Amino acid sequence: MASVSRLSIDQWSAPQQVANALRDLLLAGEIPPGVKLREVPLAKEIGVSRHTLRSAFRILEAEGLLVHSLHRGVIVPELSEERIADVFRARKALEFAGVYAITMQATGDAFIDQMAASVEQMRQARDDGELAAADLRYHSAVVAAIGSQVIAELYRNIQAQLRLTRAWALRSRGDRDLLAETHSVVVALLREGSTADAARELMSINDVGEERLLAAMRDTKQVQDVDRPMSWPPDE
């Protein structure tokens, strides 16, 4: 468990800076899903007012990384196995539509180029954080091809929920080269104009990701439940 002192920043920092610091810990898996954030001790440790902290909370709530519960306050959302399966269904539907959108418009090559650039970033990633960021950019480029702001916002929320769960259940993102290779196959198929095959490969990538995440959750659930605090920062 990370020490909350890692979040200490200048007292004049804006809410966005506080949100950035909290986001880093959330996506590193150091603040577990399901816990309540304790506003008073957290604001004290960071060195900001409760008003600034609440503003930071709202930024992260808009990103789907925090939720406000009427009875518990601000908590880190936790996905059940059923919810994860449902989130992946939604993600696959959007990415399936994105693949076909890429091939049906004159600007489709620009999105394929973004995907290819993300594959290279996967290959060059120095740590799990960079690898996860490159993976996010890849899949987001697929959905961006649909051209809908509403869908883009929905997809960001879907990705945020999955990233939180992955960060806690999977401390390693897996084989960097294998991830890049599987994603490069989709790029190659799109460049060839093999849309159906590209869609099939992308759905397979999602299926593998879902199975790995669910398996990790089952394997580590007992250990996690013992180690996981009820609130954060944990009581002394």
Side-chain angles (χ1 to χ4, degrees), residues 15 39 43 48-58:
E39 184 178 300
V48 297
S49 69
R50 292 173 67 182
H51 174 76
T52 297
L53 182 61
R54 288 170 184 165
S55 296
F57 284 167
R58 286 193 289 271

Side-chain angles (χ1 to χ4, degrees), residues 133-145:
D135 182 68
L136 175 62
R137 285 190 289 270
Y138 178 98
H139 290 273
S140 296
V142 176
V143 176

Side-chain angles (χ1 to χ4, degrees), residues 165-213:
T165 306
R166 283 174 174 152
W168 180 243
L170 289 169
R171 294 307 175 110
S172 172
R173 297 300 192 275
D175 188 294
R176 178 187 63 183
D177 294 332
L178 178 60
L179 189 69
E181 180 59 32
T182 56
H183 285 67
S184 68
V185 170
V186 179
V187 172
L189 289 169
L190 285 172
R191 293 206 189 281
E192 294 170 4
S194 303
T195 309
D197 289 338
R200 206 161 23 244
E201 287 294 330
L202 189 57
M203 296 307 101
S204 177
I205 288 172
N206 276 286
D207 288 339
V208 170
E210 178 183 356
E211 291 169 4
R212 182 168 179 251
L213 179 55

Side-chain angles (χ1 to χ4, degrees), residues 97-111 142-147:
V99 167
Y100 280 89
I102 286 173
T103 60
M104 293 175 64
Q105 54 184 290
T107 58
D109 285 346
F111 296 103
V142 176
V143 176
I146 299 173

Side-chain angles (χ1 to χ4, degrees), residues 143-153:
V143 176
I146 299 173
S148 167
Q149 184 60 36
V150 172
I151 288 177
E153 291 173 359

